[in-house]
């Protein structure tokens, strides 16, 4: 069964450093998303991406964050100048279309120290 | 602020029983409704989705939607210990596919 692949599975970074989280969506999917889940809390929407541009972003997704699809397969989330409160599990997801439900990747656990 | 509410539980049922999980949402413009299962430390896994009022069945799972009451439920028949997980309700009212998740209900199925 097709999978969404995320790397790394765990990233530890020092406060103030930049991190890049990587995702390879399912190949025939057209809609891409990033979500995060702080331990014990809800899964929160960060950003949606379609046709090589951001289609919607949340209040969380401020200038500290950016996304990119540098080639036909990868989808990245960059967090500049990380803060302690950025520590969370970050999930990438993709979908063949709006309203079809997503396939989530296995997640990257980001720990900011 | 668009909200999706679930009872966090835990909901405990004996093996073989029916588990009933409930969810309410605040945005009347919501169009698509999803149930995900999340095992501890893992990513959400899509169980099923529903768009229209009424019931939708898939194996042991039945999703029920009542838009007038802004209510979605998931029934799990013949519950198994392997069904023990957190069940997330998610709602979409956006043409970008953005989902708003509830807190999740923890289900414990006891052998």
């Amino acid at each position: 069964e097709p999978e969404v692949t995320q790397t790394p599975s765990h990233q530890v970074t020092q406060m103030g450093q930049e991190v890049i989280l990587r995702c390879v969506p399912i190949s025939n999917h057209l809609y891409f998303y990033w979500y995060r889940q702080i331990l014990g809390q809800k899964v929160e929407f960060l950003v949606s991406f379609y046709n090589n541009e951001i289609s919607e972003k949340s209040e969380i997704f401020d200038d500290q964050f950016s996304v990119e699809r540098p080639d036909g397969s990868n989808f990245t989330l960059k967090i500049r100048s990380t803060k302690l409160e950025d520590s969370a599990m970050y999930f990438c997801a993709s979908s063949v279309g709006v309203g079809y439900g997503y396939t989530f990747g296995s997640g990257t656990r980001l720990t900011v120290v | 602020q668009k909200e999706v509410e679930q009872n966090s539980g835990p909901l405990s049922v004996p093996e073989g029983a029916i588990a009933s999980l409930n969810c309410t949402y605040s945005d009347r413009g919501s169009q698509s409704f999803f149930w995900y299962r999340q095992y501890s430390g893992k990513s959400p896994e899509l169980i099923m989705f529903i768009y229209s009022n009424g019931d939708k069945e898939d194996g042991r799972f039945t999703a029920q939607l009542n838009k007038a009451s802004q209510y979605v439920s998931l029934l799990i028949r013949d519950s198994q210990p392997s069904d023990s997980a957190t069940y997330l309700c998610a709602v979409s009212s956006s043409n970008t596919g953005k989902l708003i998740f509830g807190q999740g209900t923890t289900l414990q199925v006891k052998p």
Side-chain angles (χ1 to χ4, degrees):
Chain A
E1 184 161 335
E3 289 185 342
V4 175
T5 305
Q6 286 188 247
T7 55
S9 57
H10 192 186
Q11 172 107 36
V12 180
T13 189
Q14 290 204 327
M15 193 168 51
Q17 295 298 303
E18 173 181 289
V19 295
I20 297 176
L21 310 183
R22 303 181 190 279
C23 170
V24 179
I26 294 173
S27 60
N28 66 334
H29 285 189
L30 301 176
Y31 295 80
F32 312 115
Y33 306 88
W34 284 101
Y35 284 76
R36 78 175 185 187
Q37 187 174 30
I38 295 169
L39 189 62
Q41 297 189 24
K42 294 183 181 184
V43 176
E44 300 177 286
F45 170 78
L46 293 177
V47 66
S48 59
F49 193 87
Y50 170 72
N51 200 26
N52 285 320
E53 61 183 22
I54 290 173
S55 49
E56 187 171 358
K57 58 184 180 180
S58 71
E59 294 172 354
I60 303 167
F61 195 89
D62 58 19
D63 291 344
Q64 181 194 7
F65 295 88
S66 62
V67 289
E68 197 175 44
R69 187 159 163 81
D71 53 41
S73 59
N74 292 284
F75 180 50
T76 62
L77 174 69
K78 182 189 289 186
I79 309 175
R80 287 180 282 274
S81 189
T82 49
K83 303 175 235 180
L84 294 175
E85 54 265 37
D86 294 328
S87 295
M89 182 75 92
Y90 288 79
F91 294 112
C92 174
S94 69
S95 175
V96 66
V98 171
Y100 284 87
Y102 309 154
T103 300
F104 279 89
S106 55
T108 293
R109 180 169 297 285
L110 177 65
T111 303
V112 182
V113 297
Chain B
Q1 181 79 358
K2 299 173 184 176
E3 297 283 345
V4 177
E5 298 291 339
Q6 295 180 257
N7 187 327
S8 60
L11 172 66
S12 184
V13 300
E15 184 174 356
I18 296 175
S20 177
L21 305 160
N22 305 314
C23 170
T24 58
Y25 59 94
S26 63
D27 183 9
R28 283 198 171 274
S30 299
Q31 300 154 350
S32 309
F33 308 85
F34 303 85
W35 283 99
Y36 284 85
R37 177 173 62 198
Q38 187 176 32
Y39 292 109
S40 181
K42 303 294 186 182
S43 60
E45 173 192 5
L46 181 65
I47 298 173
M48 60 192 306
F49 55 86
I50 186 168
Y51 306 139
S52 305
N53 279 327
D55 295 0
K56 179 181 178 182
E57 187 174 316
D58 184 359
R60 296 187 294 115
F61 299 96
T62 298
Q64 299 175 317
L65 174 61
N66 183 326
K67 289 187 178 180
S69 300
Q70 295 174 243
Y71 178 89
V72 194
S73 65
L74 180 70
L75 300 179
I76 307 174
R77 288 182 297 283
D78 189 23
S79 296
Q80 301 297 309
S82 57
D83 294 326
S84 298
T86 297
Y87 289 79
L88 308 178
C89 174
V91 174
S92 177
S93 55
S94 165
N95 59 4
T96 65
K98 165 190 168 183
L99 293 183
I100 299 173
F101 282 84
Q103 178 76 20
T105 298
T106 299
L107 173 67
Q108 297 174 345
V109 181
K110 301 198 170 178

